[in-house]
Amino acid sequence: MWVPGASQMPPSTKLCIEIILALLCQGRLCQAPVYRIQVPSRVTAQQGLCVLLPCNFKANFNSSGVAYKYWFLMDDDRDTSLAVATTDPGRALREPGGRIRLVGDAPDDCSLLISDVRAGDRDRYYFRFVKGDFKYSYYETQPLVDVTELSEQPVLRVPEVLLSGQLVNVTCQAPGTCSGTPPQITWTGGFDYTARNVSVALANGSVSYSSELSFTPAPGDDGKELVCTVTYPALVGVFTRRSVQLQVHYPPELLPQGNCTVWGHGPGGVATCHCAAEGNPPPHLEWRLPNRTLTGDFEGPELRATSWAQGPAVSGELRGPAGALANVSCVATNAHGQSQAVLTVVTAAGFSWTLVVALAVAGSLVLVVAGAAVAWKVVKGRSP
């Protein structure tokens, strides 16, 4: 124990003063200003993660001998109990293996790190400093380590929009930055992928754990749920997860049922063109005629176009004179591309305007003949 002016005192006087002050310091007289500790009164940790109890202290560092630091539980016997953590290699620990340990190399650093936190770690702790014949326990300050169930979710880094056919990397970072048992990170999503674990060493010996997933999305992956699950093997049943619904964009593709159906020939013929496409985002349609381009929704003197969407698919219809729709292309466009095709012309099966006219003429003739026959019978009936 350092005493002002001790260098000019006889050794016996110095020893007596140190003994008296050491005895006094077992009470509260030396807590201020020489013996102080700065530590939070309470920290909260989640099961499976880790917690750092930051701590700095002041004590008699001038005493001869090797300096050792200790942490004990509040209810431990002050002289014979096993330490929770210590820098003294000869002192037995409650739990060997380094799950609970002192961190920080500075002489006045008393920070305590608890990894793989479990419910049994909830307690009050106190710090003790020993150097040579000097010993001081900071009973007045006993911080509480509180433990709650794991509620923190992984950090999932996924691009907001994925493009079909292009390789993408997504990352899932486990909660906590501990040096304890590495967590297990798994993926589910219903598609082919490869994953690799990544660990990054941080300050105070802590480690950040994550997993990087690589896959090539397809149009069928749009709307699928990607789930990252983090399990902490040091504790049974402790896990957390986060999910995200994938948005996969892809260029439009024309569906095969598009065509133009024609009823009749010549000036009286009419046609109806149909076209459908699928893409994400849903594409918009255009009709390209030899001398003009019409939007998917258009109404003019002769031509009328309508379109409607359902999910990623869009359908359209164009009606007008057969002569004007003899050479029609359908075009589907979105932000990722364009698809175009000339529509096949199909004559309505079993129907034509010529046939309709012929049937009408034939019907008229039948009516004329029938009428004439009836008139003849009436006239004949009136004859004497």
Side-chain angles (χ1 to χ4, degrees):
M1 181 176 292
W2 179 79
V3 179
S7 58
Q8 287 79 32
M9 293 182 183
S12 58
T13 304
K14 176 182 176 183
L15 179 60
C16 289
I17 293 176
E18 288 185 351
I19 292 174
I20 293 171
L21 289 177
L23 291 172
L24 291 174
C25 284
Q26 293 304 309
R28 304 187 178 216
L29 297 179
C30 292
Q31 184 70 13
V34 178
Y35 301 96
R36 291 198 301 267
I37 189 168
Q38 292 181 330
V39 62
S41 61
R42 175 176 179 158
V43 293
T44 301
Q46 298 181 40
Q47 290 189 55
L49 305 186
C50 61
V51 61
L52 177 67
L53 186 65
C55 177
N56 287 92
F57 71 102
K58 289 186 176 182
N60 179 15
F61 296 105
N62 295 323
S63 179
S64 60
V66 181
Y68 295 115
K69 307 170 189 178
Y70 306 82
W71 278 98
F72 293 91
L73 294 181
M74 177 183 64
D75 296 330
D76 284 346
D77 183 272
R78 300 185 177 185
D79 295 316
T80 62
S81 295
L82 299 178
V84 172
T86 182
T87 58
D88 183 356
R91 185 67 180 251
L93 294 173
R94 278 178 165 268
E95 181 184 335
R99 187 180 71 87
I100 306 177
R101 59 190 179 91
L102 281 145
V103 293
D105 297 327
D108 62 347
D109 194 337
C110 48
S111 300
L112 183 70
L113 178 66
I114 305 177
S115 300
D116 301 333
V117 171
R118 56 201 60 175
D121 294 327
R122 188 186 188 282
D123 212 321
R124 289 193 178 274
Y125 298 73
Y126 71 88
F127 178 70
R128 177 182 296 171
F129 176 71
V130 175
K131 187 175 184 184
D133 295 330
F134 173 82
K135 177 174 67 175
Y136 188 82
S137 297
Y138 295 80
Y139 299 122
E140 292 79 3
T141 304
Q142 298 181 1
L144 171 65
V145 174
D146 199 5
V147 179
T148 63
E149 293 184 356
L150 178 60
S151 60
E152 188 175 349
Q153 292 182 312
V155 177
L156 198 54
R157 298 183 179 92
V158 182
E160 184 176 352
V161 174
L162 310 179
L163 190 58
S164 176
Q166 290 191 3
L167 181 68
V168 63
N169 296 322
V170 301
T171 302
C172 177
Q173 182 179 343
T177 53
C178 305
S179 57
T181 306
Q184 296 175 351
I185 305 176
T186 56
W187 299 87
T188 53
F191 46 83
D192 294 331
Y193 63 85
T194 58
R196 68 184 185 96
N197 293 326
V198 180
S199 59
V200 179
L202 305 175
N204 294 327
S206 58
V207 182
S208 172
Y209 295 99
S210 59
S211 176
E212 186 177 88
L213 179 75
S214 300
F215 69 101
T216 302
D221 296 326
D222 184 54
K224 284 186 176 179
E225 188 178 50
L226 177 65
V227 183
C228 170
T229 302
V230 180
T231 304
Y232 293 87
L235 286 85
V236 177
V238 176
F239 68 92
T240 180
R241 61 165 55 106
R242 183 183 288 272
S243 63
V244 64
Q245 193 172 46
L246 299 180
Q247 294 188 47
V248 180
H249 282 194
Y250 47 94
E253 181 179 356
L254 290 176
L255 302 180
Q257 62 263 33
N259 61 49
C260 289
T261 303
V262 177
W263 287 270
H265 301 282
V270 296
T272 300
C273 300
H274 293 93
C275 181
E278 184 175 310
N280 195 15
H284 63 269
L285 295 181
E286 287 183 346
W287 305 93
R288 292 188 180 174
L289 283 62
N291 58 351
R292 62 191 300 191
T293 297
L294 304 178
T295 61
D297 293 279
F298 173 83
E299 186 165 1
E302 294 184 323
L303 301 176
R304 181 174 181 269
T306 57
S307 63
W308 58 94
Q310 184 174 4
V314 61
S315 301
E317 182 181 86
L318 175 64
R319 293 183 178 185
L325 303 181
N327 185 11
V328 178
S329 295
C330 179
V331 182
T333 307
N334 69 8
H336 305 292
Q338 186 179 90
S339 182
Q340 177 177 350
V342 178
L343 299 181
T344 303
V345 178
V346 178
T347 302
F351 255 90
S352 70
W353 284 106
T354 302
L355 179 60
V356 171
V357 172
L359 290 174
V361 171
S364 299
L365 290 174
V366 169
L367 290 174
V368 170
V369 171
V374 171
W376 180 78
K377 287 183 179 181
V378 171
V379 172
K380 186 176 179 180
R382 291 179 178 177
S383 299

